[in-house]
Structures are given as C-alpha cells and as structure tokens.
Amino acid sequence: MKVTVAGAGYVGLVTSACLAELGHQVTCIDIQKEKIDLLQCGRSPIYEPGLEPLLEKNLRNGQLHFTTNPHKAYSDAGIIFIAVGTPETHDGSADLKYIHVVAHTIANYIEQDVIVCTKSTVPVGTNELIQQIIDSRKPPNLQVEVVANPEFLREGAAILDFFHGDRIVIGTNHPEVAALMEQFYLPLNIPIIKTDIRSAEMIKYAANAFLATKISFINEIANICEHVGANIDEVAYGIGQDKRIGQHFLKAGVGYGGSCFPKDTKALVQIGGNFKQRFELLEAVINVNNRQQSLPVLKAMDTIGSLHGKKVALLGLAFKADTDDVRESAALTIVKELLEAGADVSAYDPIAIPKARKIVGDAIGYTEEIRQALQDADLAIIATDWEQIKHLPLEVYLTHMKNPIVIDGRNCYSLQEIKQFPITYLSVGRPGHPIVNDKFE
Ligand code: UGA
C-alpha cells in the first residue's frame, strides 16, 4: 500500500519508519527543507531509541522516502496520515493552522480516492472540519474519507508502543472505511476499537487527561506522605496492586512535562469551557502539577536558606529519560526559579543539552559529565531519572560536592542505600535523610 505521512515530527517519523518496516511504501512530507535533507541522509532530527536504524534500513531498501514536494507525496497515496503539530495558543486551545494547511494541500494534490487518517491530537469536531475542507476543494470525481486515528506513542518508547500498543482506535462513521483500516492494521495484532469520529477524538484527550490526573493524584498523596511520615513507594505499590487502580503512572516526582500532557490537559479544559462545562478536576490536576514543579527549589531553600551565589548541580534537563525533548520539562521551571534566586547553575544531561540551550541560552553552565556538574556544588537537584543518574555511585556526591545535599525529584535512590552515606537527602513523598522530625525517628 502506498502510504503518505504528513509531518516529520516525532509522531510522523515514528509512524513513517514503522509503517515502512511493516512493508508499506511510505513517503513522509514536511515543509522544513533542512529536516527533510537530514532525513534523506538517514539521520533523525529527534532522539528516539531505535528510530535511526529503522530510518536508515528502510531508506536503503527503498521502502521509505522523504520529500517536500506535495505532488510526489499525495498524488498516488492510498492512505494519508496527518501527523502535524497542534501547538497551544495563548488561551490553551489547540492551534489548528498546520492541520488547515495540510487539508488544503491534500485536496489540491490528490489524484485518486484516498483515506485520510488524523494522528495529530485535535479537538472534537476537527476531523469533520478536515473532511469539509477537503471535500470543498478536491476534484469532484474523487472520494476522500477522513478517519480519526489518534496515536498513543510515548516519547522514548514510541517504536515499542507502535508495534505493541494496547489498542488502536479507528474513528469513522462509515463501517466499510473502518473495515479497510482494520485490515491495514491487522499485521500488528493489536486490539482494534472502532468508534464514531467524535468519540475517537475524545478518547485521546480523555486518555491523556486521565494519565495526568493519576500523576497529580500520586504527587498530592506523596506530599501528604512527607508530612505524616509515610513512604510513597510503599503506598503506590499498595494501591496499585488493586487491579482497578493498576501500577502504572503512579510514580511521584517533579510533575509531568513534555509536548502532550501539559498541552492536552489545557486544551480539554478549554474544550469543556466552550460549552460552559467547567472541568474542575482537570483544572486542579494542572494546578497541582505547576506547584509540584516548584517543590524542589522550595525544598532547597528550606534546607540551605538563600540560594544566592550558591552553586547548584541540576541533574537532568529532559522532561523524562530516554528523550532529548525539553518541552514543558520540570527542569526548565527549576532552572528559572534557581536563576531568580541568584544561584549559579551547572546542568547535566546526556543528550538534551542542545535543545535546552536553545531555550535557556548561556544563563547556566552545561555538561555531559555528571561529576563535572557536581564538582564543588552546594546542592544537587535531580530532575530527570536518567539511568546514568540512577547508577551513579553515591560516594560521588561525597567526593565531588562542597556540601552533599541532594534534592531528588525522581526518587532515583533507595532509602536503604542512602542511609549508608552522610548525605542530606530529600526525595518525593518519602522520609528525608537524616530524619529531621524526631517524631518519626
Ligand atoms: C504521553 C502518553 O503517555 C502517550 O500515550 C501519548 O501518545 C503521548 O503523551 C501523546 O499524546 O503524544 P509522553 O508525553 O511521551 O506520552 O510521555 P509519558 O511517558 O506519558 O510521560 C509524561 C510525563 O509524565 C513525563 O514528564 C513523565 O516523567 C511523567 N510521569 C509519567 C510521572 O511523573 N509519573 C509517572 O508515573 C509517569
């Protein structure tokens, strides 16, 4: 099947590479020429484990092509996937300008009947709008069916999620189109859920909102644990054993970040608001998350007082491990607050430095060596749970820092381990070390 993917962002690239791997002839189109030039050489503009080898392999064997030319991309496509960005506007709603451009371009360039599947996260009703745009411009003899087909790929695990996802959602009001898409996805052997278009659109927002809610919930429980002397690791395990709750997304930390949860939660609040349906629970989830991102610096100030002139090692810049993405990363909130407090920040990250530097500039120091970041530091804050940080021998904090004080926003170390070292250690939702409140000693 000749497949075209519009957008060479993280969803578009992963979708293109994986569909080529499944044996389809895939053309990925993007308007950014530099990106396409890079991709044509088999190099990925994003860091995603396993992606580059898939791109290289499928370029080499002729299954995958990159282009900026809409005629090449759309004229003979049997299925077109829309995977362009839907960034946040000033009021939190999704900006659909790239969707509009792609819909117009598809209508102008198609030369045969085609199914258009939207992978981008779009507000309810958008796929019907895409259908209208295309129908109003396409050659009248051609038939186009727009399908809502949201993606559930996690950055850092996107290839795995593509081939082993929990479900595939196909939203269309036409059973024959649903059957064709079901056939298309059959080789993946993933459960398929067929719905109407609007329900499919809503499933994506509801899924991300629910996962974000789990995270803010566990962070709130963690904050109470700190006061009552309980341990969030034990509590999360204890509630997660209940199958109705489940173990996933119960890891307390510095709050969620990334290009999806912050944007999609705000967009859903906005969608509800459009119908005078205030989504108070999700508003609270967002507020809790904003507060959570500020806790490490508050804890730092509680521990050493003023941060003015203090050297702070910030371990991790990416919004989570295994990605170079820093969008809405808690680490960037921490950087901002540390700079406002007059601290001198030295940040470590194994791969996200170039992307962080584009946003933060030279206001902080950067290093790919953890030890260098820790050298002579008065304080360390852990913002990302990179394996390199989790496996750092604890002696290093003692040998390199001026004062071994660690604020761990990701609970990277076990309390058992920490107890063996004279390190002042504060994590999320667990007793500190040494325990300062003698009530719990
Ligand atoms: C998320 C969803 O998990 C995907 O299913 C969805 O397709 C994607 O958004 C999207 O809409 O495109 P992603 O943002 O890549 O994927 O990353 P997650 O693994 O979901 O993590 C999001 C944030 O939550 C990270 O900052 C992570 O550190 C944080 N998190 C996650 C926690 O703090 N605790 C947890 O237990 C889990």
Side-chain angles (χ1 to χ4, degrees), residues 356-377:
R357 199 192 287 273
K358 277 195 189 148
I359 298 170
V360 180
D362 294 330
I364 63 172
Y366 301 92
T367 173
E368 288 176 9
E369 292 293 331
I370 304 184
R371 287 168 174 78
Q372 204 175 320
L374 291 173
Q375 193 62 48
D376 299 323

Side-chain angles (χ1 to χ4, degrees), residues 218 231-241 246-247 250-252:
I218 205 67
N231 182 328
I232 192 65
D233 292 346
E234 316 270 0
V235 175
Y237 182 75
I239 64 170
Q241 282 304 101
Q247 289 290 347
L250 289 181
K251 185 132 186 6

Side-chain angles (χ1 to χ4, degrees), residues 5 7-16 46 82-83 119-120 151 153:
V5 178
Y10 125 87
V11 174
L13 280 182
V14 170
T15 304
S16 299
I46 54 163
I82 299 181
K119 289 231 162 263
S120 309
E151 56 84 20
L153 310 171

Side-chain angles (χ1 to χ4, degrees), residues 152-153 159-168 188-191:
F152 302 100
L153 310 171
I159 309 270
L160 183 87
D161 285 349
F162 184 93
F163 288 109
H164 305 282
D166 292 335
R167 77 309 204 183
I168 290 169
L188 286 173
N189 203 17
I190 293 173

Side-chain angles (χ1 to χ4, degrees), residues 124-251:
V124 179
T126 305
N127 278 285
E128 287 157 17
L129 186 75
I130 295 172
Q131 183 80 57
Q132 280 166 18
I133 294 174
I134 297 178
D135 284 348
S136 65
R137 295 189 153 229
K138 69 174 176 61
N141 58 320
L142 299 185
Q143 202 184 341
V144 177
E145 290 299 343
V146 176
V147 174
N149 179 210
E151 56 84 20
F152 302 100
L153 310 171
R154 288 162 302 163
E155 290 189 31
I159 309 270
L160 183 87
D161 285 349
F162 184 93
F163 288 109
H164 305 282
D166 292 335
R167 77 309 204 183
I168 290 169
V169 174
I170 296 172
T172 163
N173 301 336
H174 302 285
E176 60 292 4
V177 177
L180 283 172
M181 286 314 298
E182 189 170 22
Q183 201 60 31
F184 179 80
Y185 280 122
L186 207 61
L188 286 173
N189 203 17
I190 293 173
I192 289 180
I193 300 168
K194 290 184 270 185
T195 71
D196 61 275
I197 292 187
R198 290 184 173 220
S199 301
E201 292 169 328
M202 195 63 186
I203 284 171
K204 173 60 196 253
Y205 277 109
N208 275 1
F210 187 75
L211 293 170
T213 303
K214 270 187 115 173
I215 298 170
S216 278
F217 177 84
I218 205 67
N219 283 334
E220 286 276 69
I221 295 286
N223 296 336
I224 296 173
C225 283
E226 285 178 26
H227 290 287
V228 300
N231 182 328
I232 192 65
D233 292 346
E234 316 270 0
V235 175
Y237 182 75
I239 64 170
Q241 282 304 101
D242 185 329
K243 289 191 187 65
R244 294 169 301 173
I245 296 173
Q247 289 290 347
H248 299 290
F249 276 70
L250 289 181
K251 185 132 186 6

